[in-house]
Amino acid sequence: MIRLPWRESGWSAHEAAAHLLERCAFGPRPGEVDAVAARGPAEWLGGQLAGGLASPRLDRFLERAATLDLDNHAIVTTYPTLGEVRRAAVRHGVLPEDVDDDPTLYRSTLREFMRRRGQRPQRELFAETLAAKLLRVLLDENQVREVLVDFWSDHLYVSGADPRARRFVGTYERDVIRPHVLGRFGDMLRASARHPAMLLYLDTAGSSRARPNENYARELLELHTLGVEGGYTEDDVLEVARAFTGWTMLPFGEEREGVERRATGRRARTAGAVVDGDFLFRPDRHDTTAKTVLGRRLPAGRGIEDGDDVLELLSTHPSTARFVSAKLARRLVHDDPPASLIGSMARTWERTAGDLGAVTRTLLRSEEFWDRSVRAAKIKSPLELVASAVRTTGATVTRPRSLHERIARMGQPLYRYPAPTGFPDHAEAWVNAGSLLQRMKFGLDLAAGAIEGVGLDLLALNDDHEPADLRDALLHYGERLLPTRDLSGALDSLERVARDTGLVEKIDERAAQSPAPAGEAAEVGPLDGTRETSRAEPLAADADATTAPAPAALARAVGVLLGSPQFQRH
Amino acid sequence: MRRRHFLQSMAAAAAVAAWPGPWMAFARGAVRPPVLVCVFQRGAMDGLMAVQPRAEGDLPRLRPRLVLDPAHAPALGIDHRLHPALAPLRAWFDRRELAVVHGVGSPDPTRSHFEAQDFMETSTPGVKSTTSGWLARTVAALGGTPSPWRGLALTSARPRAFHGDTPTLSVADLAEFSLGDLPGAAVATRGFESLYARTTQELLHDTGHESFDALRALDPARVRAYRAAPEAAYPNTRLGLALRQMAMVVKEDVGLRVGFVESQGWDTHVNQGADQGAFARSADELARSIHAFRTDLGEHADRVVVCTMTEFGRTVHENGNAGTDHGRASCFFVLGPRVHGGRVLGELPELVRAELEAGRDLPVTTDFRAVFAALLRDHLGVSTVDTVLPGYAGGALPLFA
């Protein structure tokens, strides 16, 4: 089991539990800090790192999903781009060559054509990818893994803002990131280099001996491994680009079978062709001349080994160890992580050849992670804020899309960061006047039950005990929403404001209606929470009823707590 | 042989541009400061279709389906034609308020949208490690009262150009810039203000202060009640609505110095169309929005400059899908009463394959930073252009000469 030095740093078990649940999970759920403190923070973490925890509440959502288990080929077949539909329609003689003149006819013709072929609009795919992301963050019991998936997805980023890569971001996360977050970095890197999402996003797929594309080579060195100051040259970029020429993918269309057959035939294999899932190495497009990368010579006359060797070389390089360790420490510990911590993580990295489980453990048991100064020192990203608010209040979600819209409004449109850097991971990127106001508004709206498809029962959160007055409300709910944090100064200031404005009416007036039951069954709605499917899904149609009426003043108190500067931090 | 529409060495340009612009006197009169509004055309506009040289060279052969019909395309000066959907802008050109910069682009040859947009928004082409945006640095360099309203992006996410430590506002819709209409929102606002005033976390403290400052400066009810000038017909589109709100903020006098909006739909790989089609639709929205904005500003127009920008241009030849692929240079529009307009600046080669970059693209003959430098120094009055455009020593285009 992992040993955590929280006692040595003078933390109580409750503080240690709260710190873990804030940094290594998307916030504590009601009662969870007590539970983890009682069980032991290290035991909780041990269970998380071992993984495989059952998440029945999540499964009930995910089993309704239509797209989460599809492979890339099925996704392309079922969720074509408009261009693909159009070309197929022209090929099948359904569309004349020039139909732009009548947009209505054009659209209805294509829609009918898609329906006949069993094809669905891409937005359904994206909606489900987004919904699954949010539901995992909220409901998956394997929270450490979800935090790490979020981190590593941002590290080896593929942006859904790129129309070519867009429909593969879900399988990319599932097949490239998720399996390796506690495994070998080299394995994750290799999987990313071969996945259609990355092959398309950074243009490796079109790179050939005649026209090597430097896009992937540059990002691989600058963003994925060594870092911009990792000690490579422009020549290295060029050489790496040449090493990856011929790395491409099987076509997804009707010609796939033929290409695959040829590529796996004896002649092609002798020539060095490789097929691995959707990945295809084409020796005829590979630059076979000798290359030198970071001083390492790659001899002439080889094939896929060039790229493989580059990935192995980079994944265990000392610059990579430091650069990527620093990023992980920035996410989990502090915006400006201590050099001592980066050093010990990098040493673990080099010793274990990039074993991410070992590197993560080094971080979690470090003195630096348990230093008092890092407690509540990170500003939550919009995703972290929304997820922690929902988890901490025990809110139920039937329409994840509402939450995604809020997260996007705060500046984090999930899967859509416009650059290959992934979302930034420091406070300055998240906090500006517009987004801060959105955070406060989110707190008020959540507490008031004003977010469609998200319900909560404030009285249940306080064991059905109604606070006697405002001070009492702030105290009780403060403890629940911000466990083990010192709120005394904030409470005084809040209470003063409230008293000034005559808010101090007793909060014990019963609301007219009795609370609607917020049972587990009521949580299960359609996965993407669309209105369309809501109609066919009676449980979700009255989703908003899951918000139990609570006195307005109580909702306001909780809203102000959720929007407070204290709640923006973790 | 090259046809030079405008020829002036950058050194000479810099010398001319070093003179203080007319606004300086204006500012010394302690009136309102100049404003820059940037319109980013995401997706890479085909500059050759927006503003097409009359000397069409090989265009009819290179892009047979994408040549403008001279009967419909208004003349722009002696040497060019304007895309018919951009016709609303022609009056401003004739009034010498609108300048076109052609052959403009990035010295970095990337043909990747995100990279090129990044390079333009950070204004450090080829350098990916730049974390701050050029407009955030512009706001910082302008100094003055630290109000978040100095920089306003009416976009759904904070644009790269606004990244950085300088306080700015990024709001999708100003009508929603509030804590909402929930009962008790006013009380909650006071509660938040008090909480954020007391937090020891510097960033939250400062930004909280700015949020409430911003709220006090502009009531969203006023945004909703805003009436544009009657003759200003904004299209009912994202861009139209954004520029409408931008005009309101200019008039409200809340301290705006730099505005940012986005225009979409320029990545015309397929069926670009000529007089009509995908390009024409985006161009129509762009031209009508900018025209309405300029019209709406009325007496405030004098201190406002609108500048369009796009990450790169498109191939001169059309592709197999009657569209164009990623190219190099495009064109920018710069509009404002104090712009030395009615001119097409920059230079284009003769439109024959041998004169094109790599046989396919308009070469970049004007670094986009030459436009930015002019906007900074000669319009906004930034004296430290090098802090906003680090590593750039190319001088400023004489847009305001």
Side-chain angles (χ1 to χ4, degrees):
Chain A
M1 199 190 62
I2 191 166
R3 220 193 65 78
L4 305 176
W6 48 271
R7 274 198 195 83
E8 291 87 323
S9 304
W11 302 60
S12 72
H14 274 79
E15 285 174 317
H19 186 53
L20 274 180
L21 288 164
E22 287 172 4
R23 294 293 178 86
C24 301
F26 285 92
R29 288 170 298 187
E32 203 172 15
V33 169
D34 290 342
V36 171
R39 184 183 160 202
E43 282 76 4
W44 178 83
L45 193 58
Q48 288 286 320
L49 292 174
L53 304 174
S55 306
R57 294 173 68 204
L58 174 68
D59 294 343
R60 276 207 294 282
F61 277 107
L62 297 191
E63 67 197 12
R64 294 160 173 264
T67 66
L68 300 182
D69 296 329
L70 297 183
D71 62 23
N72 292 318
H73 189 232
I75 281 176
V76 171
T77 315
T78 316
Y79 298 92
T81 63
L82 270 182
E84 286 164 352
V85 175
R86 194 196 146 85
R87 282 192 292 279
V90 170
R91 207 165 50 239
H92 286 76
V94 174
L95 271 189
E97 283 283 354
D98 46 347
V99 284
D100 281 344
D101 306 338
D102 187 346
T104 320
L105 179 67
Y106 172 78
R107 272 190 228 110
S108 64
T109 308
L110 287 189
R111 209 177 296 131
E112 172 58 20
F113 180 66
M114 284 178 71
R115 198 190 58 75
R116 282 210 322 271
R117 289 158 61 98
Q119 295 176 327
R120 311 285 309 163
Q122 283 197 333
R123 65 183 145 75
E124 293 182 6
L125 173 70
F126 309 143
E128 218 167 82
T129 304
L130 268 175
K133 164 88 183 174
L134 283 169
L135 291 168
R136 286 200 172 102
V137 157
L138 295 173
L139 299 175
D140 201 319
E141 295 296 330
N142 301 281
Q143 284 281 297
V144 169
R145 190 186 59 195
E146 289 313 305
V147 168
L148 292 174
V149 166
D150 195 50
F151 170 79
W152 289 107
S153 300
D154 273 336
H155 180 64
L156 300 178
Y157 199 66
V158 169
S159 176
D162 183 320
R164 297 166 305 166
R166 186 176 299 158
R167 58 185 156 181
F168 302 117
V169 294
T171 61
Y172 180 79
E173 184 177 296
R174 180 190 71 198
D175 300 336
V176 172
I177 304 297
R178 195 170 285 279
H180 301 299
V181 294
L182 291 169
R184 278 199 72 222
F185 178 70
D187 292 342
M188 191 192 286
L189 194 65
R190 195 169 305 108
S192 87
R194 294 183 175 206
H195 195 276
M198 189 63 85
L199 287 166
L200 291 169
Y201 182 47
L202 295 181
D203 305 318
T204 334
S207 187
S208 66
R209 182 176 52 208
R211 296 183 54 187
N213 191 305
E214 295 169 25
N215 206 3
Y216 178 66
R218 192 177 296 279
E219 308 303 7
L220 176 66
L221 297 173
E222 176 183 326
L223 302 176
H224 299 171
T225 60
L226 305 176
V228 73
E229 278 150 18
Y232 61 90
T233 65
E234 280 299 303
D235 283 344
D236 286 321
V237 174
L238 261 166
E239 297 284 280
V240 170
R242 296 203 299 124
F244 285 100
T245 49
W247 285 50
T248 186
M249 50 202 252
L250 291 170
F252 287 113
E254 287 151 11
E255 66 274 34
R256 181 185 178 97
E257 217 176 303
V259 174
E260 188 168 6
R261 198 168 46 238
R262 278 197 302 282
T264 50
R266 186 166 357 131
R267 252 182 54 202
R269 273 187 292 136
T270 313
V274 176
V275 172
D276 169 18
D278 302 307
F279 173 74
L280 169 65
F281 174 72
R282 283 182 56 168
D284 58 318
R285 292 172 60 174
H286 183 65
D287 182 338
T288 54
T289 57
K291 306 159 190 82
T292 305
V293 175
L294 301 171
R296 161 90 74 93
R297 191 171 159 76
L298 308 174
R302 305 199 307 168
I304 195 171
E305 302 84 358
D306 282 344
D308 280 342
D309 283 0
V310 167
L311 293 175
E312 185 61 29
L313 174 68
L314 292 173
S315 72
T316 55
H317 194 280
S319 292
T320 303
R322 286 194 64 80
F323 175 67
V324 184
S325 292
K327 268 185 85 171
L328 184 60
R330 190 170 304 123
R331 168 67 64 102
L332 294 179
V333 183
H334 196 275
D335 278 9
D336 189 9
S340 54
L341 175 60
I342 299 169
S344 48
M345 290 169 71
R347 278 191 297 280
T348 301
W349 188 298
E350 291 187 54
R351 198 183 64 242
T352 62
D355 178 344
L356 298 180
V359 173
T360 307
R361 283 184 175 81
T362 296
L363 180 152
L364 292 170
R365 58 172 177 249
S366 71
E367 285 170 22
E368 291 88 345
F369 181 75
W370 295 101
D371 192 282
R372 280 225 163 260
S373 66
V374 309
R375 182 83 211 274
K378 287 276 296 179
I379 305 273
K380 295 171 183 174
S381 71
L383 172 65
E384 289 166 341
L385 172 73
V386 166
S388 64
V390 169
R391 283 171 61 87
T392 307
T393 54
T396 56
V397 176
T398 51
R399 191 176 184 272
R401 179 188 289 191
S402 302
L403 295 178
H404 170 246
E405 285 161 0
R406 294 303 184 115
I407 294 167
R409 244 185 263 172
M410 294 174 203
Q412 193 181 11
L414 297 172
Y415 297 110
R416 289 265 183 164
Y417 191 73
T421 52
F423 285 104
D425 202 9
H426 55 274
E428 286 78 14
W430 299 128
V431 177
N432 66 24
S435 64
L436 198 55
L437 218 55
Q438 291 298 336
R439 287 172 178 245
M440 299 177 208
K441 186 168 175 350
F442 168 74
L444 290 178
D445 288 351
L446 178 67
I451 298 178
E452 192 189 346
V454 183
L456 84 173
D457 186 343
L458 288 179
L459 291 175
L461 183 61
N462 199 31
D463 306 321
D464 283 321
H465 162 75
E466 294 184 26
D469 57 22
L470 186 79
R471 175 91 193 173
D472 196 31
L474 292 170
L475 260 175
H476 278 98
Y477 285 91
E479 271 169 26
R480 275 161 177 74
L481 303 180
L482 289 152
T484 80
R485 297 264 285 275
D486 178 14
L487 298 177
S488 47
L491 293 185
D492 285 346
S493 117
L494 254 187
E495 200 193 356
R496 204 169 315 122
V497 171
R499 284 191 195 287
D500 275 354
T501 53
L503 218 176
V504 89
E505 75 264 43
K506 281 222 158 197
I507 309 179
D508 56 2
E509 59 198 45
R510 264 272 172 217
Q513 309 139 273
S514 58
E520 295 247 318
E523 292 173 30
V524 183
L527 188 71
D528 72 347
T530 53
R531 283 164 201 277
E532 238 166 289
T533 36
S534 291
R535 247 175 264 125
E537 175 50 74
L539 285 178
D542 55 6
D544 290 338
T546 57
T547 290
L554 179 53
R556 210 172 305 144
V558 170
V560 170
L561 281 167
L562 291 175
S564 70
Q566 284 79 7
F567 199 78
Q568 308 311 309
R569 297 159 61 177
H570 68 179
Chain B
M1 196 191 87
R2 288 189 164 217
R3 225 154 42 88
R4 297 183 186 245
H5 302 292
F6 190 91
L7 178 59
Q8 183 161 12
S9 81
M10 277 304 168
V16 172
W19 290 97
W23 78 269
M24 300 280 273
F26 188 71
R28 272 196 295 274
V31 203
R32 295 160 165 188
V35 175
L36 169 65
V37 174
C38 297
V39 180
F40 205 112
Q41 297 171 269
R42 304 232 181 253
M45 178 187 70
D46 182 7
L48 210 44
M49 176 159 271
V51 175
Q52 187 175 297
R54 284 203 200 203
E56 53 188 19
D58 283 346
L59 280 192
R61 270 190 303 284
L62 291 170
R63 46 165 67 190
R65 289 172 285 189
L66 304 181
V67 178
L68 300 179
D69 179 350
H72 299 144
L76 207 57
I78 306 166
D79 294 327
H80 300 85
R81 292 187 192 287
L82 192 61
H83 188 280
L86 294 171
L89 297 179
R90 190 196 168 189
W92 303 109
F93 187 89
D94 292 344
R95 285 173 59 171
R96 303 195 172 279
E97 283 196 25
L98 176 71
V100 176
V101 184
H102 224 315
V104 63
S106 170
D108 186 279
T110 179
R111 284 178 175 81
S112 144
H113 290 298
F114 63 78
E115 227 173 28
Q117 290 180 16
D118 251 29
F119 287 159
M120 196 161 277
E121 290 187 67
T122 55
S123 281
T124 54
V127 182
K128 287 188 197 165
S129 51
T130 309
T131 53
S132 63
W134 81 282
L135 292 177
R137 296 197 300 272
T138 299
V139 172
L142 284 168
T145 322
S147 153
W149 288 102
R150 289 181 303 171
L152 173 65
L154 289 170
T155 54
S156 50
R158 185 154 72 133
R160 190 71 178 225
F162 272 33
H163 278 201
D165 298 343
T166 311
T168 52
L169 288 175
S170 303
V171 187
D173 180 0
L174 275 181
E176 282 193 19
F177 183 68
S178 75
L179 284 171
D181 307 322
L182 289 172
V187 175
T189 306
R190 278 194 295 279
F192 281 132
E193 187 162 9
S194 160
L195 280 178
Y196 279 81
R198 275 154 204 271
T199 184
T200 53
Q201 214 279 349
E202 207 176 325
L203 183 66
L204 288 174
H205 176 277
D206 294 351
T207 314
H209 186 68
E210 284 142 17
S211 300
F212 295 109
D213 258 12
L215 270 182
R216 261 192 294 276
L218 188 67
D219 180 353
R222 291 176 65 89
V223 179
R224 287 189 286 266
Y226 175 67
R227 296 260 178 279
E231 62 277 20
Y234 290 99
N236 191 19
T237 63
R238 190 100 186 221
L239 177 64
L241 295 175
L243 280 177
R244 188 173 178 277
Q245 294 194 341
M246 195 64 78
M248 191 219 66
V249 174
V250 170
K251 295 183 193 175
E252 281 283 325
D253 198 21
V254 289
L256 181 74
R257 306 299 309 277
V258 174
F260 186 94
V261 298
E262 291 167 339
S263 160
Q264 311 281 353
W266 299 101
D267 197 17
T268 48
H269 286 285
V270 180
N271 294 320
Q272 177 168 320
D275 292 1
Q276 282 161 16
F279 182 97
R281 279 192 292 277
S282 291
D284 175 69
E285 184 199 11
L286 179 80
R288 286 200 291 135
S289 300
I290 291 177
H291 176 63
F293 178 69
R294 170 64 187 85
T295 307
D296 193 10
L297 286 177
E299 60 180 13
H300 297 266
D302 210 36
R303 59 197 177 93
V304 180
V305 167
V306 179
C307 182
T308 67
M309 55 199 67
T310 192
E311 64 262 36
F312 42 68
R314 310 192 71 83
T315 49
V316 174
H317 63 85
E318 65 182 44
N319 62 24
N321 298 318
T324 48
D325 295 319
H326 301 180
R328 293 283 289 123
S330 187
C331 68
F332 292 3
F333 295 96
V334 187
L335 170 69
R338 284 186 288 112
V339 172
H340 182 187
R343 302 181 299 160
V344 178
L345 289 81
E347 63 181 68
L348 292 180
E350 201 177 337
L351 297 173
V352 295
R353 202 180 274 277
E355 293 287 325
L356 302 178
E357 182 172 327
R360 51 171 262 168
D361 298 324
L362 287 184
V364 172
T365 49
T366 298
D367 188 323
F368 68 84
R369 292 171 297 178
V371 178
F372 290 5
L375 296 168
L376 288 165
R377 188 167 53 193
D378 305 331
H379 173 55
L380 291 174
V382 172
S383 53
T384 52
V385 172
D386 53 335
T387 64
V388 181
L389 305 175
Y392 176 66
L397 206 65
L399 278 165
F400 299 88

